Amino acid sequence: MKRSRSVISRLVAHAAASPSPPPTDASHLDALRLFRRAHRRGAPLAADAFPPLLSACRSFPSLGRQAHALMVKSAADLDPVPATALLDVYSRCGLLRYALDVFDGMPVRDSIAWNAFISCLVRHGLPADAISAFRAMAVDGGSPFTGFTLCSVLKACASMRAVRLGKQIHARVIGDGNDSLVMATALIDFYSGCGMIQEAFDVFNRLNREKDVAIYNALISACFQNRRFKEAFSVLGLVRPNEITLTCALSACSDCLSLSYGKQVHCVMVRHGFDSDTTLCNAIVDMYAKCGELTSGRISFEQIHRKNVVSWTTMISAYGSHGRGVEAWKLFKRMQEEEISGHVSPNAVTFLSVLSACSHSGLVDEGRECLFAMQSKHGIDPGPEHYACFIYLLSGAAMLNACKANMDLKRGEQMARHLLSLDPDNPGSYVLLANFYAACGQWEGAEYLRRMMKDRGLKKEAGNSQLELPVAIEI
């Protein structure tokens, strides 16, 4: 019996193992088929057979619960190793409640189980709970902290800006003599997230070992995120950048509307031969669009050799956000024409970008055609966000403008409440209603809505005009 268990475990692990390149859905499917065949033949199930099976289930989330049921039947869920693997699968598949239930049901929790639990909470945007779990782990006492534990908690500290706890962890790292690149990278990310760029540089400069590209990326990212552009380009000149470095740099330039630095990143990208990378080219298009350089964005879009759905959607969205709905519609029609020739097809995000562009420009007929084409031609069911955008296009602005012209406050408020219930996270609806209240002399209502926007972290993306002095930096 022991031999049978060992054989099943080895076979499934071999089928699901991570080759180079990374495993595909096909390799995971092979592992699942092998496990099912062995199980149907009556081979006994042991706890060590489940971790490789669960690894394969990452590509097929619906099968994770079936594996869980088998674990319960064979009592493998009481073993911390397969239970931790199950927790990780649920976490990676977005099933937080199931992951928490698995952790709560563990009779014994080792360091690996606690690490997986804390990482799960961080992954799902629950940094305060992750920190509470870290403290509970300390009280537990039987599970010593590892470097992985501290790295996960540092991410939570950065999200919460929990500077005091982060510094305490840093002190512990120094006391333990842990000068690994992974830990140093986590500390740089923590200090960057808290806006403490000098402390991030101190971690980098005090590291007494050969630095890899990951830690350079972390420091470059920290500089860009904190608008320390000169330092970012200075560090960039010390290492050959990779796709992660440049994508981070472009994202920061987009967020800061820094066109001159964005252009320099574009030059670095071309110089190092990344101009054929579709993901980076998409980021270039987005950067130019957000900085108001639509012409440069369109040129960059046309130069992409292998356009994917993100390429098309980014350019369509760029036109829409600048109120150029006609150009967005024409580009969408061209995308559909090229689709016939075997090129990329639009997805739900593409259709939402088109509807938004039509809404901003009042293209009612085009918006109607877009919504109908989603299901009839592409088999994509419109979601609430698509209908909300279309309803806004048909009636939102027209109705409120009519109410404003007639000073009909009662009907205007009814229409506005309906719009906000359809799309509560759309800042345009709040601005539209606030302007309506202001036009009707209801200043308190207008101020209340703008406070609501601020409290919810909503911002209306407005047009901007920005002049930057060109800054030349050697790279």
Side-chain angles (χ1 to χ4, degrees):
M1 182 177 292
K2 289 183 177 179
R3 183 176 179 275
S4 299
R5 293 179 180 179
S6 178
V7 168
I8 293 174
S9 303
R10 288 203 309 270
L11 287 174
V12 177
H14 176 72
S18 298
S20 182
T24 62
D25 286 355
S27 65
H28 282 164
L29 188 60
D30 290 339
L32 291 168
R33 285 171 176 164
L34 179 60
F35 182 90
R36 183 177 62 181
R37 189 161 61 245
H39 180 53
R40 284 180 174 177
R41 291 177 179 175
L45 295 176
D48 60 355
F50 284 98
L53 170 66
L54 290 166
S55 177
C57 287
R58 291 179 186 175
S59 299
F60 305 95
S62 62
L63 299 179
R65 297 186 66 186
Q66 296 181 38
H68 188 178
L70 283 175
M71 288 175 62
V72 173
K73 288 177 66 177
S74 61
D77 61 321
L78 302 178
D79 188 302
V81 175
T84 301
L86 179 63
L87 187 159
D88 186 63
V89 168
Y90 279 142
S91 172
R92 292 177 185 274
C93 293
L95 301 171
L96 176 62
R97 183 171 66 85
Y98 294 111
L100 299 183
D101 288 345
V102 170
F103 184 77
D104 288 339
M106 287 185 184
V108 178
R109 298 164 183 160
D110 57 13
S111 295
I112 299 175
W114 278 103
N115 290 346
F117 180 57
I118 293 171
S119 177
C120 170
L121 294 171
V122 173
R123 180 183 291 118
H124 287 269
L126 299 169
D129 295 298
I131 291 173
S132 296
F134 172 67
R135 288 176 172 145
M137 182 181 179
V139 172
D140 181 69
S143 306
F145 299 143
T146 65
F148 188 89
T149 315
L150 301 180
C151 287
S152 295
V153 178
L154 282 171
K155 289 181 182 179
C157 290
S159 298
M160 296 285 294
R161 287 186 171 262
V163 176
R164 182 177 179 181
L165 177 58
K167 285 189 171 183
Q168 290 174 351
I169 293 174
H170 189 179
R172 175 174 182 136
V173 168
I174 294 173
D176 292 344
N178 187 344
D179 63 343
S180 69
L181 291 173
V182 173
M183 183 57 68
T185 302
L187 284 167
I188 289 173
D189 288 338
F190 158 69
Y191 283 122
S192 170
C194 295
M196 305 169 70
I197 190 65
Q198 186 55 54
E199 285 78 359
F201 266 100
D202 290 342
V203 172
F204 180 85
N205 292 329
R206 290 172 182 169
L207 191 62
N208 294 321
R209 60 170 58 234
E210 186 177 354
K211 302 174 177 66
D212 61 4
V213 68
I215 196 166
Y216 276 102
N217 283 346
L219 188 61
I220 293 167
S221 173
C223 292
F224 274 111
Q225 289 173 4
N226 288 276
R227 301 178 66 90
R228 301 284 287 269
F229 295 109
K230 291 184 179 180
E231 291 93 332
F233 280 97
S234 177
V235 179
L236 195 58
L238 302 176
V239 63
R240 188 185 190 281
N242 60 15
E243 295 89 338
I244 298 174
T245 317
L246 297 174
T247 300
C248 172
L250 287 169
S251 176
C253 292
S254 298
D255 293 340
C256 299
L257 302 178
S258 180
L259 180 60
S260 64
Y261 286 112
K263 286 182 176 180
Q264 292 184 60
V265 176
H266 192 178
C267 292
V268 174
M269 173 180 148
V270 173
R271 180 182 302 175
H272 289 283
F274 290 108
D275 51 324
S276 60
D277 185 284
T278 302
T279 301
L280 277 175
C281 290
N282 293 340
I284 286 289
V285 173
D286 182 64
M287 183 275 296
Y288 279 126
K290 287 182 177 176
C291 292
E293 284 280 340
L294 272 181
T295 301
S296 298
R298 182 59 184 265
I299 292 172
S300 298
F301 168 79
E302 296 296 348
Q303 291 176 344
I304 299 176
H305 301 298
R306 293 182 295 277
K307 298 180 181 65
N308 57 20
V309 66
V310 178
S311 310
W312 291 93
T313 304
T314 300
M315 195 66 231
I316 290 170
S317 178
Y319 277 131
S321 63
H322 284 79
R324 294 171 63 171
V326 174
E327 288 94 331
W329 178 252
K330 288 180 179 178
L331 190 62
F332 174 64
K333 296 296 286 185
R334 177 182 148 193
M335 181 184 185
Q336 290 184 306
E337 291 170 0
E338 295 197 10
E339 179 191 1
I340 298 174
S341 304
H343 288 71
V344 68
S345 301
N347 61 16
V349 180
T350 311
F351 282 106
L352 185 60
S353 296
V354 176
L355 284 169
S356 178
C358 293
S359 177
H360 289 156
S361 301
L363 303 176
V364 177
D365 293 337
E366 289 82 355
R368 183 183 292 110
E369 181 182 337
C370 172
L371 189 67
F372 292 157
M374 276 188 72
Q375 199 163 31
S376 61
K377 291 185 178 179
H378 298 275
I380 302 174
D381 292 328
E385 64 278 7
H386 298 94
Y387 286 117
C389 197
F390 185 57
I391 291 171
Y392 184 88
L393 168 62
L394 289 177
S395 58
M399 284 292 292
L400 276 179
N401 286 335
C403 293
K404 183 167 60 177
N406 292 280
M407 302 296 287
D408 190 341
L409 183 62
K410 182 178 180 180
R411 287 190 175 88
E413 287 182 326
Q414 291 175 347
M415 186 64 199
R417 282 196 295 270
H418 184 59
L419 282 174
L420 292 178
S421 67
L422 286 172
D423 196 2
D425 295 325
N426 183 357
S429 300
Y430 290 85
V431 172
L432 194 64
L433 180 55
N435 291 340
F436 165 71
Y437 275 130
C440 294
Q442 301 291 319
W443 301 108
E444 290 184 2
E447 180 60 28
Y448 172 73
L449 281 164
R450 296 189 185 278
R451 283 201 306 270
M452 276 185 67
M453 283 184 65
K454 184 177 180 180
D455 292 342
R456 294 190 176 194
L458 302 175
K459 294 182 180 180
K460 180 75 169 72
E461 186 173 337
N464 63 80
S465 177
Q466 177 171 306
L467 177 64
E468 277 193 340
L469 294 175
V471 181
I473 298 180
E474 292 186 7
I475 302 170

